Amino acid sequence: MSQSPKIFRRSAALIFVVIVVLAASAGGAAAYRAYVAWRNGSAMSYGELRRELFGMTRLRHASVVMVGDSLTAMAPWSEMTGCVRLINRGVESDSSRGVLARIDGIIALRPNAVFLMIGANDIRLGIADTETAANIVAVLDRLSEAGIHAYVVPVLPVARAFPSAADFNRNVDKLNAAIGAALAARPGVTVIDVGPEVRDARGFLKDEFSFDGIHLRAAGYAVWLAAIEPQVKRYCRRQRD
């Protein structure tokens, strides 16, 4: 038996109320993804939506591009740095494989510099450190061929509240070591390590820098911003032919 329009409207309203409650209690991003999935009748993620929207850009040039996963995606980098020619190409749940797959779209923006942090989801997905490092090297090689300067920010640790935090952080240290070894022979790449500024005495991300154990609060972004802001300003001013 089909629902009457009134009953359907009530059902839709109830679902919307549930989503609003989730937004207040469990985080707006998660609730929004649930809302999008319900409206679309599909399992499209917010990250997939962002990748689709990137393809709609009409911009022909960006001075600086921020690349990474949700840690990058969540910050209003252009506003925080004051660089109006900065574009955010962070994608929720992205991995080094994803960045390599979409590098053409980043290069097409003809930036002067790219700031890259990627790898946390590689750990979550069980991708081998050697593959992650190789993917990052491949991304950096493509950027170098296009005359784009690259800055790499090593993967950040998680806080004690994060599930299996100690194990995850051991994997973070192993991955960062693998990435560092792979970049040692590439003097044209600049590494900006903010890890020492955000770790506590036991190597965990300090609680005041995160709201859920892995994603950053404003205080955490302030540390990251202070580390990269001079370079962002330097390349924001430059124009490419």
Side-chain angles (χ1 to χ4, degrees):
M1 182 181 295
S2 61
Q3 290 182 318
S4 69
K6 182 179 294 185
I7 294 175
F8 179 79
R9 286 195 296 272
R10 288 177 180 174
S11 298
L14 178 60
I15 291 172
F16 179 76
V17 170
V18 170
I19 290 169
V20 170
V21 172
L22 285 173
S25 61
Y32 180 74
R33 290 195 299 272
Y35 174 69
V36 170
W38 170 67
R39 285 295 302 269
N40 291 347
S42 69
M44 170 180 277
S45 70
Y46 182 56
E48 290 169 333
L49 174 61
R50 277 183 68 80
R51 285 191 289 270
E52 286 190 355
L53 294 175
F54 292 160
M56 297 174 65
T57 184
R58 296 186 179 181
L59 296 178
R60 300 180 60 186
H61 170 61
S63 294
V64 177
V65 179
M66 302 293 294
V67 181
D69 52 32
S70 58
L71 287 173
T72 299
M74 292 171 70
W77 290 106
S78 180
E79 296 176 55
M80 295 196 311
T81 61
C83 179
V84 296
R85 293 182 292 275
L86 183 153
I87 290 181
N88 189 337
R89 285 296 182 262
V91 171
E92 177 189 330
S93 300
D94 209 2
S95 67
S96 63
R97 293 172 178 172
V99 172
L100 181 58
R102 59 190 179 92
I103 190 61
D104 286 343
I106 295 166
I107 292 173
L109 293 169
R110 299 166 51 244
N112 300 318
V114 164
F115 291 78
L116 170 68
M117 182 201 285
I118 199 70
N121 289 307
D122 291 53
I123 295 173
R124 181 179 60 83
L125 295 169
I127 299 174
D129 294 344
T130 51
E131 180 185 343
T132 300
N135 289 339
I136 291 174
V137 166
V139 167
L140 298 175
D141 285 346
R142 292 290 311 281
L143 295 175
S144 177
E145 291 167 3
I148 301 167
H149 192 87
Y151 292 87
V152 175
V153 180
V155 179
L156 298 181
V158 296
R160 296 171 193 250
F162 191 78
S164 303
D167 290 338
F168 193 91
N169 282 346
R170 279 191 287 271
N171 288 326
V172 167
D173 291 341
K174 287 171 52 184
L175 176 57
N176 284 338
I179 295 171
L183 300 185
R186 286 172 167 75
V189 177
T190 305
V191 177
I192 301 178
D193 189 1
V194 300
E197 302 297 322
V198 299
R199 289 178 181 266
D200 65 17
R202 296 184 60 187
F204 295 99
L205 179 65
K206 293 178 182 178
D207 291 338
E208 62 264 32
F209 291 147
S210 176
F211 64 87
D212 63 356
I214 187 168
H215 295 102
L216 298 177
R217 299 181 64 176
Y221 281 111
V223 175
W224 188 350
L225 174 63
I228 68 171
E229 192 168 21
Q231 290 77 21
V232 170
K233 288 184 176 179
R234 172 188 174 191
Y235 284 97
C236 187
R237 296 192 187 102
R238 295 177 57 185
Q239 299 291 326
R240 294 190 71 183
D241 296 331

